Amino acid sequence: MKSSHRSADLRLLSFQSVLIAVVALACRSSLATEVQGYTEPVRTIEVASDETGTVAEVLVQLGQTIEQGQPLLRLNSQVHLAQIEVAKQQMNAQGRLDAAKAEVELTSARLEKIESLRKSGHARQAELHRAAKEYKVAEANLRSVVEEMETRRLEHDRLLTQMSRRVIHAPVTGIVTELHKEPGEFVAPNKPEVITLVQLDTLLANFALLGSQAEQLTTGQEIELQFPESGQTTSGKVHFISPVTDAESGTVLVKIAIGNADGSIRSGARCAIQLKD
């Protein structure tokens, strides 16, 4: 009888041991490590001017939301306006063109007359040769005037294009975070930056992961992020996994893209993800 009880106890003990081992294994497999990171704008743009000159007007303010193509800043353009007026006047000047056309008509009529006289024997060959040369010179002069007029038109168009570039426009939709120039300041070729814009409709969460942790992720994979300071939870997609391991820290840079169209998540906020050990 005692042997029977002892056998039952051993079977119970063995079952309990197996159960404990299974539970321990399950718990171990579900263990995860929290990895801390931070968010940053998907793009930070130092808007620069490809024209030099004095700032006439700043058209935006710090913290203002800017649409793509919106004017940001205007450079002084008084000299350029004067140059455009001169180029416009030169482009539209018709005096030389009319004179060149009239010369062609005159020499053409003279050539025809001498050719007729030559056929009837009332003009010499030298006279015909000279009239033909004069006609060719008049035609060449007309072509030269036409080419000059086209050059003046192109110069006028160039000045208009240069004038349009003196108004700096936003390359993307974003928020103004820094004004580098104020009215009256000079924009120089070696320091062309005028305004800093950031795009916050999408954020990038940066994480420095161990190699074994980075291997758990693939580009485009969805992953949940927690924001301990605000208590928010959101999902993002793995945007970039660095192919290079940092030699000093032994970590791999991973960036996760987070939609932020409503602006509820601040750039620079601390965040975390859960990864298996």
Side-chain angles (χ1 to χ4, degrees):
M1 191 72 176
K2 289 182 180 180
S3 176
S4 177
H5 284 301
R6 187 179 296 110
S7 177
D9 290 341
L10 289 173
R11 286 197 299 271
L12 179 60
L13 181 60
S14 175
F15 174 75
Q16 289 175 339
S17 299
V18 171
L19 182 61
I20 290 172
V22 170
V23 171
L25 182 61
C27 290
R28 183 175 180 180
S29 64
S30 65
L31 286 177
T33 300
E34 182 179 87
V35 183
Q36 297 285 334
Y38 64 93
T39 61
E40 66 178 5
V42 66
R43 291 180 71 186
T44 299
I45 302 173
E46 299 291 343
V47 182
S49 170
D50 55 5
E51 293 288 320
T52 61
T54 304
V55 176
E57 187 179 9
V58 178
L59 305 172
V60 295
Q61 298 177 345
L62 282 175
Q64 183 176 343
T65 300
I66 304 300
E67 297 297 326
Q68 184 176 8
Q70 183 174 335
L72 303 175
L73 178 144
R74 182 173 61 83
L75 298 177
N76 187 291
S77 304
Q78 292 181 352
V79 174
H80 293 76
L81 287 171
Q83 290 176 338
I84 288 172
E85 286 301 315
V86 171
K88 183 178 180 181
Q89 179 65 29
Q90 292 177 340
M91 179 183 67
N92 295 328
Q94 294 291 318
R96 287 189 59 196
L97 181 61
D98 292 342
K101 288 180 178 178
E103 184 68 19
V104 169
E105 292 175 359
L106 182 64
T107 54
S108 176
R110 183 181 179 190
L111 177 60
E112 289 178 2
K113 184 176 181 180
I114 292 178
E115 284 177 340
S116 178
L117 290 173
R118 177 61 182 164
K119 289 178 182 178
S120 62
H122 292 86
R124 293 177 296 176
Q125 182 64 33
E127 290 178 312
L128 179 61
H129 182 72
R130 180 177 179 180
K133 289 291 185 181
E134 289 175 347
Y135 175 67
K136 288 183 178 179
V137 169
E139 279 191 320
N141 184 49
L142 176 60
R143 286 196 298 271
S144 177
V145 173
V146 170
E147 290 170 357
E148 183 179 343
M149 297 292 288
E150 177 64 14
T151 300
R152 290 177 177 177
R153 185 189 68 79
L154 293 174
E155 174 64 13
H156 179 262
D157 292 346
R158 184 190 71 81
L159 288 171
L160 287 177
T161 301
Q162 189 176 20
M163 179 72 179
S164 68
R165 292 207 307 265
R166 297 186 70 79
V167 178
I168 315 303
H169 296 82
V172 297
T173 297
I175 298 175
V176 178
T177 58
E178 190 171 357
L179 299 174
H180 299 283
K181 298 294 181 182
E182 296 291 340
E185 293 186 319
F186 188 76
V187 179
N190 62 338
K191 200 172 182 181
E193 299 83 7
V194 292
I195 285 173
T196 300
L197 283 180
V198 296
Q199 274 188 285
L200 299 177
D201 54 350
T202 299
L203 297 177
L204 292 178
N206 296 276
F207 296 92
L209 304 182
L210 297 175
S212 59
Q213 294 172 328
E215 290 174 356
Q216 301 176 33
L217 303 175
T218 56
T219 303
Q221 175 183 342
E222 288 197 11
I223 188 168
E224 189 175 84
L225 298 95
Q226 297 84 35
F227 292 84
E229 294 177 358
S230 64
Q232 290 175 279
T233 299
T234 188
S235 62
K237 287 187 177 181
V238 178
H239 175 75
F240 171 75
I241 302 174
S242 176
V244 178
T245 300
D246 183 76
E248 185 175 345
S249 64
T251 58
V252 177
L253 174 63
V254 174
K255 293 178 179 286
I256 298 174
I258 308 168
N260 190 39
D262 59 357
S264 61
I265 303 173
R266 292 183 62 83
S267 175
R270 294 291 171 182
C271 55
I273 56 175
Q274 303 288 332
L275 295 172
K276 293 179 181 179
D277 288 331

